[in-house]
Amino acid sequence: MPLEAPARIVGELTSRGYNAEREAVTRLAGASDPGAALERVLEAVPEDALVVRTEHVEAALSADAPAADAAPAETAAVPDGDSTPSVSTGTNPDPGDEPAGATPVETGGSTPADRSVDPAKRALEIVGDMTGQSTGTGEYEDFVSVFRDRLDRLGGKLKGRVNHRPATAIQDMPGGSEVAMVGLVNDIRSTASGHWLIELEDATGTFPWLVMKDRDYVDLVDELLCDEVLAMEGTLADDSGIAFVDSLHFPDVPRTHEPSTADRHVQAALISDVHVGSQEFMADAWNAFADWLHTAEAEHVEYLLLAGDMVEGVGVYPDQDEELDIVDIYEQYEAFSEHLKKIPGDIEIVMIPGNHDAVRLAEPQPGFDEELREIMSAHDPRIVSNPSMVTLEGVSVLMYHGVSLDEVIAELPEDKASYDDPHKAMYHLLKKRHVAPQFGGHTRLAPEEEDYLVIDEVPDIFHTGHVHKLGFGKYHDVLAINSGCWQAQTDFQKSVNIDPDAGFAPIVDLDTLDVTVQKFS
Ligand code: D5M
Ligand code: FE
Ligand code: ZN
């Protein structure tokens, strides 16, 4: 049980209001009497310290190391729980196991040189965060401007590829002309004879395009969503009232995209959907994850990205209250914060909200408000909007909770997007260069002057969650990862046969973009 000692030490420290650096915990766990060592360290840390650092442990342990090393026999007497030096935390139901941490053989702390976390080498930059930038009032004009911005920016990526004309100009051209247009998909209909009619809209008006059922491009029609931006080329009918599609272009990720990588071996854990406050929240799996982060095996994990649904929330779905463990939303965040404190204090955390979180539901969702930030402040996470772009040592990560994935999966055929392969649904968002193309369905949109949901810059990593399924893969060299969750199957999920991937943490090597998955359930 090599993980027990670190877990208890962290629990004890958090219950006394401290965070700890990972190596500090490792060294405490490596002491022959961790309980006594912890007391000595706490006596020695500066009054105002919030984080127990390696140097605090070093200083306190070096002062009387011989005594600690000489005392292993006595530690067996500790577990009665009454004596102050014990690290037993009321949360451990079996204090009789306590001295396990005193067994010197399992100490990562005996080889502390293995752990070399140097925060000075880190570089974390937030490049896209719309928190505090919201200007939308929900008026009609805002919808006009958000769609205009979408068309301008995504259309801009397509305009060099086709010789496009405005909708109104196309209808004035002679029948039989070669024409091209860039626009938003306004409508998709099948005709009586099995062809497809796609109406494109630009700033001047709309124009209908016909995809014939025997053309190659017909395969692409089933992956189109309303409101996405496309370019079409084709031939104008004799009466100039419609054009026959010859080719169809998505804004897409250029095939020449070359991802950036970190200059050193450093890793990031990408997770989401913790759902603290739900009866199905898997505390044991979470604790095992936190414990693992304290081990030497995880020493290169220096970043933790959380893609939304920190808590279960209240009133998110009908009858959800029947499965709540904590009914007050603030208490849910307080409990979540306690779980966050178990993560090594030296790991940089970035988090965005999801549809269960206490921010506006419509996307883009600004980062948590001051009150919630305060509740979650102990670990000092970076709290940004959904979506946001962050850069970790040069590797750009687009974080998006993923509500639109439900829609992509519902609208596209099974082989193109499914809950079993959530990353393939993500590929379509990359291809459309928009995290939530379709307006008016499941995904709610808060219209802003700017369309923050456009994927303007190609990310190196695209990280989503929400569907509670783990999947990852590469699309044109962009690593798409949908993290699983920390919530066991809910009644609703059972009723619709969703079998969640719970208790997994995908870990990305930022120097190679390779992924390994750690399982904690
Ligand atoms: O959603 C987790 C997944 O389950 C996501 O694919 C939506 C789906 N889900 C869960 N509960 C419901 C209800 N009640 N209606 C429709 N879809 C649901 P999350 O939002 O993370 O709980
Ligand atoms: Fe969720
Ligand atoms: Zn969700």
Side-chain angles (χ1 to χ4, degrees), residues 273 275 309 316-318 355-356 401 406 419 442 466-468 487 490 492-493 498:
D273 298 274
H275 289 265
D309 286 359
V316 180
Y317 293 122
N355 58 311
H356 284 252
H401 178 58
D406 281 330
Y419 284 107
H442 205 65
H466 180 64
V467 296
H468 294 205
Q487 183 186 38
T490 63
F492 168 83
Q493 290 165 349
I498 297 178

Side-chain angles (χ1 to χ4, degrees), residues 2-4 6-7 281-295 297-298 339 342-344 486 503-505 518-521:
L3 294 177
E4 278 225 337
F281 165 59
M282 295 165 59
D284 290 348
W286 180 269
N287 291 339
F289 171 50
D291 287 345
W292 176 76
L293 288 172
H294 285 275
T295 66
E297 197 192 340
H339 289 295
K342 296 174 191 162
I343 303 295
W486 301 84
F504 294 91
Q518 297 289 333
K519 187 175 188 309
F520 300 102
S521 56

Side-chain angles (χ1 to χ4, degrees), residues 51 259 391:
V51 179
T391 310

Side-chain angles (χ1 to χ4, degrees), residues 165-181 202 204-209 236-243:
R165 291 282 174 275
T168 44
I170 291 175
Q171 63 208 23
D172 293 337
M173 290 166 75
S177 307
E178 295 292 307
V179 287
M181 179 178 167
D202 67 13
T204 68
T206 63
F207 195 80
W209 292 78
L236 214 46
D238 288 346
D239 67 358
S240 303
I242 196 167

